Amino acid sequence: MLYLSRGINMLESQIIEVNGTFLGTIILEADRSTRRFYAAHESVKSLHNSKFAQTDDPVVSVAYVFRRGH
């Protein structure tokens, strides 16, 4: 059985992966313009729950932090 929390309004998500390494997910929030990053890889934990405006490119930001650490 699947239980959903009423507090979560995830409309869309996008996986961020660099060279086969899963870094995390970008989640589109209920306002349909704010995107939040959910970090899954230790090297990008500093960006966990960072919010990005529609005009920002979170993939570039996350990939930069990942590559800087490697």
Side-chain angles (χ1 to χ4, degrees):
M1 180 165 271
L2 177 65
Y3 295 97
L4 298 175
S5 170
R6 292 179 187 227
I8 298 174
N9 292 318
M10 183 176 75
L11 301 175
E12 295 177 16
S13 65
Q14 174 187 359
I15 291 173
I16 298 180
E17 183 180 312
V18 173
N19 296 333
T21 302
F22 174 65
L23 302 179
T25 304
I26 298 293
I27 300 167
L28 181 63
E29 295 194 339
D31 66 4
R32 296 193 178 268
S33 63
T34 304
R35 294 169 294 162
R36 183 173 46 87
F37 177 64
Y38 184 92
H41 194 272
E42 189 65 34
S43 67
V44 293
K45 287 286 185 183
S46 63
L47 294 175
H48 183 69
N49 277 330
S50 292
K51 293 188 177 187
F52 297 88
Q54 200 168 17
T55 57
D56 297 334
D57 189 347
V59 176
V60 171
S61 299
V62 172
Y64 174 78
V65 170
F66 173 72
R67 289 186 177 120
R68 190 179 66 194
H70 280 84

